[in-house]
Amino acid sequence: MRKTIAMVLVAALGVTGCGAHVSEGDSGAVPAGYPVTVTNCGAPLTVRRPPSRVVTNDIGITELMFALGLDDRMAGYVVDQGQSGGIASSPWKGDFAKVRKLAEKINREVVQGAGADLVFAGWNYGFSEGTGFTPDTLRQLGIASYQLTEACRNGVGKQRGIMPPLDALYTDLRNLGKIFGVSDRAEQLVKQYSAQVAAVEGAVAAGRQRPKVFLYDDGRDQPFTAARNAGPDEIIGKAGGTNIFADLDDSWTTVSWEAVVQRAPDVILINDYGGEVGTVADKENFLRSRPGLRDIPAVKQGRFFALPYAALVEGPRNASAVQSFGAYLAGLSR
């Protein structure tokens, strides 16, 4: 949900919201270059000084902080047991070992206990009205929030996504760079990731038929998949494929098996949770056994490809995911 009020972080542990004026006497001198203001999910977020006790939720969000070299600004992170495999394979495994894991589920008690001055999470990435853990409730506790841009709500119910997924990644990198005073590092990462993606996209043969791809996250009665505002949509597209649910204006969402069968994907991209939410083999076996699915091109031809969860949600592994999937799709056309 978009906010039109400013959230002002005035000190390491102090927050003033609702567009309040911040006086120069608040909590000492303002560091050089501050305050800074960024736009986050359509609302201004102004910080008076760099946050120093950040709590992150989910692996991709946490890896964004690590990629920017901000492990020393963190009070801890929250990931569930299902993401342990992703941590083991993470390029930032050493950072995960240095920073404290606070819990497997984020809530008010966890962030208050950590003395958080900023919580970096997102809708369905920790924030939820159902649990009562939202940016609004944190603001009432004097804790600021930064929301993952991929998961920003777009004003239609609880649908998420306000820009293409890779643009969301680059927006968050640049915003975090400004908030923490590491804009040079942020720009280096954006340049690096953009170049990686452009190289893959440029290698897709002109006129080559793009295979139709179904992202299978999980779900037996109904599949959970990626619509056009989720990371896999551009991972698929930049790699040379077409997401069969790119017409849905949402992020991660539930569809029907009938729709999957009707759209007849050529390839199935599997979200690999590292065995905690069904192994890749379990998911393949299920897809092979379900009536109707057995006859779609991807299953008949055995065209399955898996990427780890941390590479599919917004995060610094997205560019390498484009490279990996692009190589796979290129191999199919030979």
Side-chain angles (χ1 to χ4, degrees):
M1 182 181 299
R2 298 186 184 185
K3 303 293 180 184
T4 57
I5 60 175
M7 298 174 289
V8 183
L9 178 60
V10 297
L13 296 176
V15 181
T16 302
C18 303
H21 173 71
V22 183
S23 71
E24 289 302 310
D26 288 331
S27 303
V30 177
Y34 288 83
V36 297
T37 300
V38 300
T39 300
N40 180 218
C41 289
L45 170 63
T46 299
V47 300
R48 181 179 169 84
R49 62 185 70 252
S52 60
R53 295 197 59 79
V54 181
V55 171
T56 57
N57 184 75
D58 209 81
I59 188 169
I61 287 171
T62 304
E63 288 184 343
L64 280 171
M65 293 289 289
F66 292 156
L68 287 165
L70 298 172
D71 57 288
D72 61 339
R73 308 291 182 87
M74 295 176 60
Y77 63 88
V78 176
V79 296
D80 62 31
Q81 184 61 33
Q83 297 181 33
S84 59
I87 291 175
S89 66
S90 176
W92 300 275
K93 183 178 178 180
D95 294 295
F96 278 106
K98 287 191 296 182
V99 178
R100 186 161 62 109
K101 178 180 176 179
L102 300 173
E104 293 193 1
K105 297 293 181 183
I106 198 165
N107 55 45
R108 285 174 286 184
E109 290 74 20
V110 168
V111 299
Q112 284 182 295
D117 57 7
L118 179 77
V119 172
F120 183 10
W123 292 107
N124 286 25
Y125 292 89
F127 292 139
S128 167
E129 288 94 350
T131 62
F133 188 79
T134 69
D136 284 340
T137 58
L138 288 175
R139 188 180 302 111
Q140 293 168 14
L141 297 172
I143 302 172
S145 302
Y146 184 87
Q147 300 179 50
L148 185 74
T149 296
E150 182 204 277
C152 293
R153 288 179 172 169
N154 57 30
V156 182
K158 294 185 178 180
Q159 289 181 190
R160 296 173 294 158
I162 60 174
M163 65 182 70
L166 288 173
D167 286 352
L169 170 64
Y170 303 150
T171 294
D172 284 335
L173 286 169
R174 288 182 168 123
N175 280 350
L176 293 168
K178 292 177 182 177
I179 288 169
F180 291 96
V182 292
S183 287
D184 287 348
R185 173 63 175 163
E187 289 300 330
Q188 289 172 2
L189 291 176
V190 171
K191 183 177 180 180
Q192 174 189 331
Y193 299 153
S194 299
Q196 287 178 270
V197 171
V200 177
E201 192 174 23
V204 176
R208 189 188 85 185
Q209 184 173 358
R210 287 177 169 263
K212 296 182 293 183
V213 181
F214 166 52
L215 184 285
Y216 180 44
D217 179 278
D218 197 30
R220 296 301 192 259
D221 295 332
Q222 292 180 294
F224 197 61
T225 190
R228 71 166 175 254
N229 302 326
D233 182 76
E234 280 203 298
I235 290 170
I236 292 166
K238 301 296 186 183
T242 299
N243 176 15
I244 64 170
F245 289 109
D247 59 316
L248 301 181
D249 186 17
D250 205 347
S251 181
W252 297 86
T253 190
T254 299
V255 295
S256 69
W257 286 119
E258 290 76 15
V260 175
V261 172
Q262 184 181 34
R263 298 180 188 212
D266 302 299
V267 175
I268 295 177
L269 176 58
I270 294 176
N271 190 348
D272 180 9
Y273 283 86
E276 296 292 339
V277 188
T279 65
V280 171
D282 289 338
K283 291 179 179 180
E284 286 188 20
N285 290 335
F286 167 74
L287 294 167
R288 293 179 192 277
S289 67
R290 185 177 174 91
L293 290 179
R294 290 180 294 209
D295 298 321
I296 63 176
V299 176
K300 288 177 69 174
Q301 299 297 322
R303 291 176 172 174
F304 300 101
F305 189 82
L307 284 170
Y309 170 83
L312 292 169
V313 296
E314 185 198 315
R317 298 199 219 184
N318 291 162
S320 61
V322 173
Q323 290 179 316
S324 298
F325 196 49
Y328 173 77
L329 294 183
L332 296 180
S333 64
R334 296 192 184 106

